[in-house]
Amino acid sequence: MTNFFSSNFKLGILGGGQLGKMMLYETRKYDIQTYVMDPDQDAPSRIACDFFQQGNLMDYETVYNFGKKVDVLTFEIESVNLQALVKLEEEGKKVYPSAKTLEKIQNKGRQKLFYKEKNIPTATFTRFSNKTHLTEGITSNKIKLPFVWKSTQGGYDGKGVSIIKSGADLVRLPDVECIAEELVHFKNELAVIVARTPSGEIKTYPVVEMEFHPEANQVEYVICPARIDNEIAKKAMKVAESVSRAFEHVGILAVEMFLTQDNEILVNEVAPRPHNSGHYSIEASYTNQFEQQIRAILDLPLGATESKVAGIMVNLVGKEGYDGNVIYKNIENIMKMKGVTPHIYGKKQTRPFRKMGHVTIVHEDINEARKIAERVKNTIQVISE
Ligand code: ADP
């Protein structure tokens, strides 16, 4: 086995945002050497890696040359040049998650087809190569209003998603490849994080429940464990594991799901990396998702996924109406509260709804944690100077 610790071994990470930064707390803990590439010279990860390179993650040559320098390559963002990963793998480089897995996930249409192929429960959908075909699909009654429109590429945090209720809603849609998905009247949005190693060891985190901000379509609270029936939780974990196995995924896979009115689990989408829905694990779990990611991609034994206490995460997003140098107003007040830990990602500029940080609340009693979370939410404000 390779000696990863205090050695010459090099772990490469494509992307240097907050997910990478939190992963680097763990490589520091284990004294594993890291190379990070990001287009932004001031990327959050910069302060914690051993070598930083500025570069375009979508450029073949740049990603290929970066990959050549490291022993194992991973990514903290899905928008990376896939062909470069394919080439690196052909040349024997370890890339985790693999190019094959990423290819199926990068395009939402392909991802949905994969679920269908593998009999993984998901909302019904139709794929369209452009807006004209989508419009024809509506006029010919192939699809019915209302539906959920999703751009197959480039969407994140709800930016490539729109609920279409009437013909008028179509006007503002961009002319891109898309899917039209059945509008699910869900009871709940759930997520399960699964870790899998190249050897096939699997460990699954408890089910979390997500509460969304009604306007921004971003997660407002992530609650662990989800306040749902034990049987439903078991079912959700089983579905998530089957998704990880179907993808032959290596590393952390976050599986987002809907719980329908009939208690069915439908897979919405996956993220092949540590995920917002797993941030609570830093304070609440035996092994946080970032440490688990390192363990998984290096084929080390996976850590325990159980929680030590209930955990709730509150996203810190830029307040509407504020643009510019960021200020975390009232942060001292939340720091006085027991079991409350703020995480500041290191982005100097705030914008409305930009993810700037998060706060974790831990408590023995989940209902108490939820109350404190609300107090946190109403106290701290992400504004500008
Ligand atoms: P993103 O990749 O931007 O996170 P998602 O596919 O997760 O996009 O969609 C964002 C949100 O939109 C979901 O969390 C959910 O609240 C809502 N949504 C997505 N698909 C559906 C659907 N089929 N029915 C109802 N709501 C949906």
Side-chain angles (χ1 to χ4, degrees), residues 30-302:
Y30 283 142
D31 199 30
I32 292 169
Q33 199 183 181
T34 50
Y35 281 51
V36 169
M37 184 163 78
D38 192 272
D40 182 0
Q41 194 61 249
D42 298 316
S45 281
R46 192 174 181 137
I47 57 155
C49 59
D50 296 288
F51 295 95
F52 180 82
Q53 184 183 327
Q54 187 180 23
N56 180 352
L57 299 172
M58 289 308 286
D59 182 67
Y60 176 88
E61 290 291 325
T62 310
V63 172
Y64 175 77
N65 290 328
F66 176 78
K68 291 297 264 184
K69 292 182 198 159
V70 301
D71 300 300
V72 171
L73 183 63
T74 188
F75 48 85
E76 55 104 62
I77 179 167
E78 291 94 309
S79 304
V80 297
N81 186 288
L82 188 72
Q83 277 63 47
L85 301 189
V86 171
K87 181 77 180 154
L88 287 161
E89 278 178 348
E90 277 169 14
E91 291 176 5
K93 190 71 65 189
K94 285 185 173 143
V95 180
Y96 294 127
S98 72
K100 209 176 92 204
T101 303
L102 181 61
E103 188 195 8
K104 295 191 191 94
I105 293 171
Q106 262 185 349
N107 180 299
K108 271 192 187 174
R110 211 176 299 141
Q111 195 185 129
K112 291 281 291 185
L113 281 176
F114 181 76
Y115 298 145
K116 229 172 124 178
E117 237 176 74
K118 297 284 177 182
N119 283 320
I120 291 162
T122 192
T124 54
F125 70 102
T126 315
R127 260 175 116 183
F128 295 99
S129 49
N130 57 42
K131 197 171 166 177
T132 312
H133 287 157
L134 172 70
T135 313
E136 284 166 9
I138 298 168
T139 30
S140 66
N141 262 332
K142 197 173 166 199
I143 50 166
K144 292 197 176 58
L145 298 164
F147 63 86
V148 182
W149 172 91
K150 295 184 183 183
S151 159
T152 56
Q153 279 177 77
Y156 63 95
D157 287 346
K159 287 189 181 74
V161 176
S162 192
I163 296 179
I164 306 300
K165 292 185 175 140
S166 70
D169 292 340
L170 284 176
V171 179
R172 55 193 160 79
L173 296 180
D175 184 12
V176 292
E177 188 191 287
C178 62
I179 58 171
E181 197 176 273
E182 157 206 4
L183 179 67
V184 180
H185 298 283
F186 49 78
K187 271 204 256 189
N188 237 329
E189 292 200 53
L190 309 173
V192 175
I193 285 178
V194 182
R196 188 174 170 277
T197 66
S199 312
E201 186 189 3
I202 282 199
K203 283 215 166 134
T204 307
Y205 282 81
V207 184
V208 304
E209 175 190 336
M210 298 185 282
E211 269 185 52
F212 277 74
H213 185 286
E215 269 161 73
N217 220 347
Q218 277 187 342
V219 181
E220 202 166 27
Y221 299 107
V222 172
I223 302 169
C224 182
R227 296 160 296 180
I228 53 171
D229 233 60
N230 220 355
E231 285 310 304
I232 295 171
K234 273 195 215 148
K235 184 154 87 178
M237 287 166 80
K238 244 179 108 183
V239 169
E241 282 163 24
S242 71
V243 176
S244 169
R245 285 205 179 87
F247 279 119
E248 294 176 53
H249 187 264
V250 168
I252 292 281
L253 185 73
V255 184
E256 293 182 34
M257 297 174 276
F258 299 128
L259 176 63
T260 69
Q261 303 294 337
D262 310 327
N263 288 336
E264 287 305 309
I265 299 285
L266 297 177
V267 172
N268 175 29
E269 61 166 358
V270 296
R273 51 166 170 78
H275 188 249
N276 196 257
S277 65
H279 290 349
Y280 79 90
S281 65
I282 299 176
E283 282 82 14
S285 306
Y286 281 99
T287 314
N288 76 60
Q289 62 165 345
F290 300 99
E291 178 180 338
Q292 198 77 299
Q293 173 74 338
I294 311 266
R295 289 176 180 236
I297 62 179
L298 300 184
D299 212 6
L300 291 163
L302 294 177

